[in-house]
Amino acid sequence: MTIGIVGLGYVGLPLALAFAEAGHDVVGVDVDQGRVAEVNRGASHVEDVPSERLRGIEDRLVATTSYGELEGVEAILVCVPTPLNANREPELGPLVTAAAALAKVLARDQLVVLESTTYPGTTRERLAPILEESGLNAGRDFHLAYSPERVDPGRTDHTIRTTPKVVGGLTDECADRAEALYRTICDEIVRVSTPEVAELSKLLENIFRSVNIALVNELAVLCDRMDIDVWEVVGAAATKPYGFMRFDPGPGMGGHCLPVDPFYLSWRAREYDFVPEFIELAGKINQAMPYVCVERVLRALNDARKAARGSRVVLLGVAYKPGVGDTRESPALKIIELLRHHGAEVVYHDPHVRELPRFGLRTSDLDEALAGADLAVIVTAHPDLDVEQVVREAPAVLDLRGVTRGIQAPSVVRL
């Protein structure tokens, strides 16, 4: 088959690679001309897609900024961003723009699958009407389905091939077409009755994590007041072989899913006169964690008889998770903003993130970052971080990830 993919980011490019390596021809469309040029010369901007593998399928993958190149493809997968706006409400602008462009080139009997995370009803109520401006009817003249992405950047134990793929079609025939497509790159297809079920299943996956992270984050705040080691509490509870799943506290949630998905469902729920208070409370707790962590920074400086203003604070890790360079919604960004507001001099060390243009900062090597530091804050513990060196060379360490457990040093405090 020839497959079109709209959006060549963290979701779209790995999909393009998977389909091309399975023998399909792939046309990737992206609005970013620089990204298109990179893909066409075999240079990957996504850490999960090595440039070597991208160059290995250069004869089967073509990137372009033109939707017109999708006219002859059999299937089109839409993998565009679905962020939140300034009011923490769904921002479907990229999806609407992509759908309007697709409507101009949509052909009879094509399959369109939305992979972007969104609220229940988006595929049927927002995407289908725009595509039908082509004069074709969804479910009759062309096929439409929803299949949520399950990308976890930096993860190697679960791949597109081995991760079950949820698929919900507008009609049974739509689902048949989508299932047949994904079976060429996925070992297991989980077929559900409607796009709405598939859309909500994706939100549930991430809201489950959001709620449990919020629970342990709130427990961490309480344990601080009670002078109890939250990491020891969680570790002890995790020894139960049934009925408990471990979640660790931290500075907040980041990435393209966890900080966003709960608000998509909350927004949709209000249309049904329902307020998902449990979900919204979890979101509030997690959003507040950078403020909690900055308060801990101020206390750590105070214990060293230093004011925040003028102190050199080193953040170790600014990506949202270990092992990747993705800073989307990273709590480190809010922490930097708040520390600067307090007058601190902020530097950072992160081998995966070369620069933070928003703050005019570039990463420093570890030795340089620790030199002259008043406080080192472990925000994201990348696998190659030399924790022992940090504890040995920094005059004070605030560990927000619990990676210093087992190291006994009076200079270390933990969340």
Side-chain angles (χ1 to χ4, degrees):
M1 288 186 286
T2 301
I3 298 164
I5 295 180
V6 180
L8 294 175
Y10 285 88
V11 175
L13 191 60
L15 272 176
L17 179 68
F19 279 112
E21 288 184 336
H24 303 293
D25 292 324
V26 179
V27 178
V29 177
D30 201 287
V31 296
D32 187 331
Q33 293 182 341
R35 179 177 292 178
V36 166
E38 285 182 350
V39 172
N40 283 333
R41 68 170 183 265
S44 175
H45 57 281
V46 176
E47 289 174 292
D48 289 347
V49 178
S51 294
E52 295 77 18
R53 289 178 65 188
L54 200 57
R55 289 191 289 270
I57 49 102
E58 59 184 357
D59 59 330
R60 291 194 295 274
L61 170 60
V62 176
T64 177
T65 59
S66 172
Y67 280 82
E69 301 297 321
L70 299 177
E71 286 190 67
V73 306
E74 285 105 315
I76 301 170
L77 310 183
V78 181
C79 311
V80 297
T82 47
L84 298 171
N85 63 22
N87 296 320
R88 311 298 290 178
E89 295 176 341
E91 175 53 74
L92 295 184
L95 175 59
V96 170
T97 299
L102 286 176
K104 297 177 182 179
V105 300
L106 192 64
R108 188 175 296 274
D109 205 39
Q110 277 184 328
L111 167 67
V112 178
V113 183
L114 177 61
E115 288 229 355
S116 307
T117 303
T118 188
Y119 58 81
T122 301
T123 305
R124 189 185 304 272
E125 299 170 15
R126 295 298 303 274
L127 181 57
I130 298 175
L131 294 178
E132 287 178 337
E133 292 176 5
S134 64
L136 302 176
N137 183 267
R140 185 184 67 197
D141 302 318
F142 70 92
H143 305 284
L144 183 61
Y146 181 79
S147 181
E149 57 86 5
R150 280 178 163 172
V151 173
D152 189 6
R155 188 151 201 161
T156 58
D157 55 340
H158 295 290
T159 65
I160 290 177
R161 169 65 66 182
T162 61
T163 302
K165 191 74 168 126
V166 176
V167 174
L170 203 63
T171 66
D172 286 342
E173 189 174 354
C174 292
D176 289 342
R177 284 286 300 274
E179 181 177 349
L181 171 68
Y182 284 114
R183 282 201 181 280
T184 66
I185 62 167
C186 300
D187 291 338
E188 181 181 353
I189 305 299
V190 180
R191 185 160 164 172
V192 296
S193 58
T194 65
E196 288 80 5
V197 172
E199 290 162 338
L200 187 52
S201 73
K202 169 63 175 179
L203 296 184
L204 176 59
E205 293 170 14
N206 289 322
I207 290 171
F208 168 79
R209 294 176 61 197
S210 171
V211 167
N212 282 281
I213 291 171
L215 171 63
V216 75
N217 277 338
E218 188 169 56
L219 185 65
V221 176
L222 175 61
C223 282
D224 177 45
R225 296 191 183 185
M226 300 176 71
D227 196 24
I228 297 174
D229 185 345
V230 67
W231 303 98
E232 187 174 5
V233 172
V234 172
T239 62
K240 185 178 181 181
Y242 55 89
F244 184 85
M245 181 178 292
R246 178 170 184 150
F247 289 85
D248 290 322
M253 300 186 306
H256 63 300
C257 288
L258 294 193
V260 174
D261 294 1
F263 293 97
Y264 263 71
L265 185 58
S266 295
W267 179 85
R268 183 60 163 168
R270 289 197 291 271
E271 293 188 15
Y272 293 85
D273 297 323
F274 184 84
V275 179
E277 297 181 12
F278 196 65
I279 295 171
E280 291 192 350
L281 178 59
K284 291 178 182 178
I285 291 171
N286 290 325
Q287 276 189 298
M289 285 309 293
Y291 294 86
V292 172
C293 293
V294 168
E295 190 270 335
R296 295 297 303 272
V297 169
L298 300 181
R299 282 168 48 189
L301 289 171
N302 186 63
D303 290 343
R305 301 181 183 277
K306 295 183 178 182
R309 187 169 303 278
S311 289
R312 179 180 169 92
V313 179
V314 178
L315 299 193
L316 302 175
V318 296
Y320 86 89
K321 64 177 290 188
V324 303
D326 192 348
T327 61
R328 287 176 296 174
E329 302 288 337
S330 172
L333 305 182
K334 175 58 72 172
I335 291 174
I336 293 173
E337 178 186 318
L338 295 173
L339 288 176
R340 282 188 163 184
H341 177 74
H342 285 285
E345 176 196 352
V346 179
V347 297
Y348 80 91
H349 165 73
D350 192 318
H352 298 272
V353 182
R354 294 180 181 178
E355 59 181 347
L356 294 174
R358 169 181 165 188
F359 300 105
L361 295 175
R362 294 184 64 85
T363 185
S364 303
D365 64 44
L366 187 58
D367 292 335
E368 179 186 354
L370 294 176
D374 293 299
L375 175 67
V377 185
I378 301 175
V379 181
T380 301
H382 289 299
D384 53 356
L385 177 64
D386 189 339
V387 177
E388 292 186 354
Q389 179 186 352
V390 173
V391 173
R392 184 173 62 250
E393 297 184 8
V397 178
L398 173 59
D399 177 10
L400 304 179
R401 295 293 186 177
V403 294
T404 60
R405 289 203 66 204
I407 298 178
Q408 299 299 321
S411 60
V412 176
V413 292
R414 286 179 284 273
L415 180 66

